[in-house]
Amino acid sequence: MLANHDGAPVTFVNRFTVHASPEEFRATFAETSEFLAGQPGFVRHTLLAHTDEPNAFVNVAVWTDERSFRTAVSHPQFALHARALRALSVSEPNLYRTAQYRERP
């Protein structure tokens, strides 16, 4: 039997390979982050910079549920942010649900 995931938190993971300056990418990403942080269902995000590759970044964002995430990224204003990021990078976006979770006791 498949589990019902309605209302379950989701994690959005997006790897970016930047072909512009990392500083320009970070500034543009900050504007996108500001927009998304104001959307219903946004919980948090972390932009990670690769330790050895200055043009590689990964964004990990947590949303309260898939519907909130999909509503935010289908917002007409988000298209402007996505276009700005695509002008600076190539991305590999994926949406995940938690399969296992463990914290240090």
Side-chain angles (χ1 to χ4, degrees):
M1 181 174 186
L2 294 176
N4 181 352
H5 294 292
D6 291 345
V10 292
T11 301
F12 178 68
V13 179
N14 197 355
R15 184 180 193 287
F16 294 93
T17 302
V18 177
H19 49 76
S21 77
E23 296 77 21
E24 183 180 7
F25 173 77
R26 286 178 196 228
T28 301
F29 189 89
E31 293 173 9
T32 303
S33 173
E34 186 71 26
F35 168 77
L36 290 172
Q39 300 306 301
F42 178 86
V43 176
R44 69 181 170 276
H45 92 83
T46 304
L47 181 63
L48 305 169
H50 195 287
T51 57
D52 296 324
E53 298 176 30
N55 289 353
F57 294 86
V58 173
N59 176 46
V60 179
V62 177
W63 289 79
T64 56
D65 58 274
E66 185 175 348
R67 178 176 291 160
S68 293
F69 168 78
R70 296 206 183 278
T71 299
V73 298
S74 65
H75 190 287
Q77 195 174 352
F78 178 74
L80 301 173
H81 292 283
R83 195 172 313 129
L85 289 170
R86 279 194 301 271
L88 305 174
S89 64
V90 175
S91 69
E92 300 169 30
N94 293 284
L95 192 61
Y96 297 90
R97 285 191 182 82
T98 300
Q100 284 188 3
Y101 180 80
R102 183 173 185 161
E103 288 188 24
R104 184 180 176 133

